[in-house]
Amino acid sequence: MNMLFGRRSSHDSHDNTHHGHGCEDLSAIAKTHQSVYQVRYVGYLTHGYTFRFTLEGFPDLLDDFVDSAGWDSLGNLVYSRAGALYKYSLDDLKAGYPSSVLDLEPLKRPDQNEI
């Protein structure tokens, strides 16, 4: 996997965006076997630092509701969205279905004596 990190000037502002770090758009790009994965810092919104994720060739996969995304040590795409974790191998991406989905919403804090 090849990684490129960059910094690009960004002066667009939305009503709920506060660019507190020099009005810069920070991005990281990873090129794997077939697709380019990009992470962009888009600003500090009301809920905190906000990033957008894209995967070349799969424009609808990593939408604006994805909280985090990246490649695991085995080369699988792993991302979180709406309280669930999704895992796609390169073959899964071609097929259009994840190999794993784990719903984290039912998880509860353990009792102190369970820790």
Side-chain angles (χ1 to χ4, degrees):
M1 179 185 320
N2 297 324
M3 292 291 294
L4 300 171
F5 295 93
R7 195 174 277 223
R8 184 177 62 207
S9 231
S10 175
H11 296 290
D12 13 320
S13 185
H14 300 59
D15 291 340
N16 60 348
T17 303
H18 306 286
H19 295 281
H21 297 284
C23 295
E24 293 168 319
D25 180 9
L26 304 177
S27 63
I29 300 171
K31 183 167 172 87
T32 63
H33 306 289
Q34 298 180 4
S35 297
V36 174
Y37 161 80
Q38 182 175 14
V39 179
R40 268 187 323 112
Y41 171 72
V42 294
Y44 189 86
L45 303 179
T46 55
H47 60 277
Y49 295 102
T50 303
F51 298 87
R52 294 290 181 255
F53 307 89
T54 56
L55 185 62
E56 181 182 82
F58 305 93
D60 299 327
L61 185 64
L62 302 177
D63 60 20
D64 289 349
F65 298 102
V66 170
D67 298 308
S68 64
W71 299 102
D72 69 9
S73 63
L74 300 175
N76 298 306
L77 174 69
V78 179
Y79 68 89
S80 64
R81 181 183 189 278
L85 289 176
Y86 296 81
K87 181 178 85 170
Y88 284 81
S89 68
L90 293 176
D91 290 335
D92 297 333
L93 287 170
K94 292 175 195 170
Y97 298 99
S99 52
S100 299
V101 178
L102 178 62
D103 184 2
L104 301 176
E105 290 298 324
L107 292 177
K108 294 183 178 158
R109 181 181 293 257
D111 291 332
Q112 284 292 22
N113 48 355
E114 291 179 353
I115 299 177

